[in-house]
Amino acid sequence: MAGEIMGAQTRSLVAFAHVASVQRSIEFYADLGFKVTNTVVPEGQAAPVWAWLESEKANLMIGLADGPFEASRQAVLFYLYFDNIKQTHAALSESGHSPGEIRYPFYMPGGECRLEDPDGYVLMLAQI
């Protein structure tokens, strides 16, 4: 409408997680299908301090934490969606991860399970 002020319009949202080791997190998230598309390695250092990870429509930034943090005190869950949760659960288990039991709550009839990343962030793996 003419004269109407348009509100803010978010175009995308990307989570940024502070981690103890960017390289360790890169390796963990690779098992969930993420590929590194950008990193920052400061001059004179060998390890990255920041990375951008992508898997289809999913994006995640990870950065080296300045000091100790408690992931369990953060009230955020990361939901990751898969075509086949049973297959995903089995593949992660075979790779040495410990996903929780697949449950079927009313809001996720295809099933979901819980997995913690190396820094203790809670990932909810769900069937599309």
Side-chain angles (χ1 to χ4, degrees), residues 5-85:
I5 298 175
M6 182 165 215
Q9 182 65 45
T10 301
R11 301 289 297 172
S12 65
L13 173 69
V14 178
F16 184 112
H18 288 100
V19 298
S21 167
V22 172
Q23 187 59 45
R24 179 182 71 179
S25 292
I26 287 171
E27 293 165 10
F28 173 84
Y29 282 96
D31 287 344
L32 294 168
F34 283 86
K35 294 184 179 11
V36 178
T37 60
N38 196 2
T39 60
V40 172
V41 179
E43 191 173 328
Q45 293 186 27
V49 296
W50 177 89
W52 181 280
L53 309 177
E54 291 183 359
S55 179
E56 295 189 20
K57 295 180 185 178
N59 298 295
L60 176 65
M61 286 188 284
I62 53 176
L64 189 62
D66 293 336
F69 64 94
E70 292 182 57
S72 64
R73 297 193 65 170
Q74 299 183 28
V76 176
L77 299 175
F78 295 96
Y79 265 82
L80 290 77
Y81 293 93
F82 298 89
D83 290 328
N84 186 321
I85 193 62

Side-chain angles (χ1 to χ4, degrees), residues 97-108:
H97 300 288
S98 299
E101 176 186 343
I102 298 173
R103 298 187 184 277
Y104 299 88
F106 73 91
Y107 57 84
M108 195 64 62

